[in-house]
Amino acid sequence: MTRTTTFRARLLRAGAEPQTVTVRAASDSPPRTLRRPAGGGGTLTFDVYALLDADGWPASATYTFVDTLSRAPSTSDE
């Protein structure tokens, strides 16, 4: 049975201080990618991070920045 795990994700990004956030994962292994809101509240832009190191799993994992993605609002978002 899959369990929900709460862990600390360390987010690395060139030119920025590392951030540590608490994340929930519905898996027995760390998620391969994390999507975090970018910018202010209500935005449809997300920073995408890829798993870099899971040696501390299930307590922690380290991710590195990959890209920022945006999506157009759908009619249900309005």
Side-chain angles (χ1 to χ4, degrees), residues 1-66:
M1 175 180 218
T2 302
R3 63 189 169 104
T4 300
T5 302
T6 301
F7 69 99
R8 295 177 57 82
R10 183 175 170 137
L11 306 178
L12 306 178
R13 186 172 184 157
E17 289 292 319
Q19 291 183 326
T20 301
V21 296
T22 301
V23 179
R24 286 184 180 218
S27 175
D28 291 331
S29 59
R32 298 181 92 176
T33 59
L34 291 180
R35 214 173 58 163
R36 305 292 299 168
T43 184
L44 298 175
T45 305
F46 299 90
D47 289 337
V48 179
Y49 292 85
L51 180 63
L52 180 66
D53 180 11
D55 285 345
W57 185 259
S60 65
T62 301
Y63 292 80
T64 187
F65 176 76
V66 176

